Amino acid sequence: MIIATNVIHAAQINGAEKLMFLGSSCIYPRLAPQPLREDSMLAGPLEPTNEPYAIAKIAGIKMAEAYRSQYGSDFINVMPTNLYGPGDNYHPEYSHVVPALIRRFHEAKAACASNAVVWGTGTARREFLYVDDLADACIHLMKNYSGDELINIGTGEDITIAEFARVVAAIVGYTGEISFDTSRPDGTPRKLLDVSRLAKLGWRARTSLVDGIKLTYQAYLAQ
């Protein structure tokens, strides 16, 4: 929150031509109607496991809106879905689902393990966007959008964690069993973004999930 307030204020007092603030899908209520529309923000309780982070992001969005309203600053807000790609954090405990599963299945394959464990029940659904697509969407919006409405950035498609685990395992080459640790939390049951606003502005994601995971795994092997 401190970073957001400092950057947004500095952009205004130094006359920045344009600024884009990136939110997080956790800004939406835990049980908001799916797919998640931009006007769902603040319409219900947040997911308790990431509420502090969500509140910080919501504060940044509202600050950018306030500077736009009060000073006429060309500040826009965008809301990316779950991201993945080269250069991610592959820490065994603190990484997000994509790098966590890539590392877990790679290590299971290398060890000739008969079983690999995935956290949660596997029933939660998630949407994943390749980082190069996010960068392309951000450039597109910086060039073509100057409104005050929040804009979701995503693929408009989601997948269960269980299905996604099988996709990652196949790409990595792990052929053993996959089990689920149900003592671990699933988090929000579903987080699929409504990307109709973005589509009307002329942008759609280009990288398929399979192609994106292949590129990410190649980068993991090279690091």
Side-chain angles (χ1 to χ4, degrees):
M1 188 181 295
I2 294 172
I3 294 173
T5 54
N6 284 340
V7 170
I8 292 169
H9 181 64
Q12 192 276 320
I13 63 174
N14 287 285
E17 183 176 341
K18 194 164 190 175
L19 179 141
M20 172 184 285
F21 182 80
L22 281 78
S24 166
S25 57
C26 64
I27 68 170
Y28 293 122
R30 184 177 190 274
L31 298 177
Q34 302 287 324
L36 294 162
R37 291 165 46 91
E38 290 90 345
D39 56 12
S40 292
M41 187 177 71
L42 296 176
L46 300 166
E47 162 61 36
T49 58
N50 50 32
E51 184 180 68
Y53 181 68
I55 290 172
K57 284 296 188 180
I58 291 169
I61 290 169
K62 288 301 181 182
M63 184 174 181
E65 289 178 355
Y67 273 67
R68 184 181 188 89
S69 175
Q70 183 169 351
Y71 300 109
S73 304
D74 192 3
F75 295 172
I76 62 174
N77 288 306
V78 303
M79 220 314 303
T81 190
N82 301 288
L83 303 173
Y84 71 97
D88 212 331
N89 171 20
Y90 293 92
H91 191 281
E93 290 288 330
Y94 307 120
S95 56
H96 289 170
V97 62
V98 179
L101 291 185
I102 286 175
R103 175 172 178 164
R104 195 163 303 162
F105 289 133
H106 174 79
E107 292 180 345
K109 180 183 74 170
C112 297
S114 60
N115 183 64
V117 178
V118 176
W119 289 5
T121 65
T123 59
R125 301 186 69 91
R126 291 293 181 268
E127 176 183 14
F128 299 106
L129 180 69
Y130 189 61
V131 287
D132 286 5
D133 283 353
L134 172 67
D136 186 63
C138 288
I139 292 170
H140 180 84
L141 290 170
M142 287 293 280
K143 290 179 177 179
N144 298 289
Y145 181 69
S146 292
D148 57 3
E149 293 183 321
L150 178 65
I151 303 291
N152 286 336
I153 301 178
T155 64
E157 300 176 355
D158 64 359
I159 187 173
T160 69
I161 294 301
E163 292 169 330
F164 179 68
R166 289 190 284 270
V167 169
V168 176
I171 290 169
V172 170
Y174 170 71
T175 58
E177 296 294 323
I178 300 173
S179 61
F180 295 87
D181 181 357
T182 57
S183 69
R184 300 282 189 167
D186 281 329
T188 302
R190 192 181 190 191
K191 288 198 295 184
L192 174 65
L193 297 186
D194 181 329
V195 294
S196 56
R197 281 185 184 173
L198 183 58
K200 289 177 182 177
L201 291 167
W203 190 91
R204 288 189 180 276
R206 301 175 183 176
T207 309
S208 72
L209 184 60
V210 169
D211 288 343
I213 296 299
K214 287 179 179 178
L215 290 168
T216 305
Y217 184 50
Q218 291 168 8
Y220 173 78
L221 293 175
Q223 73 176 25

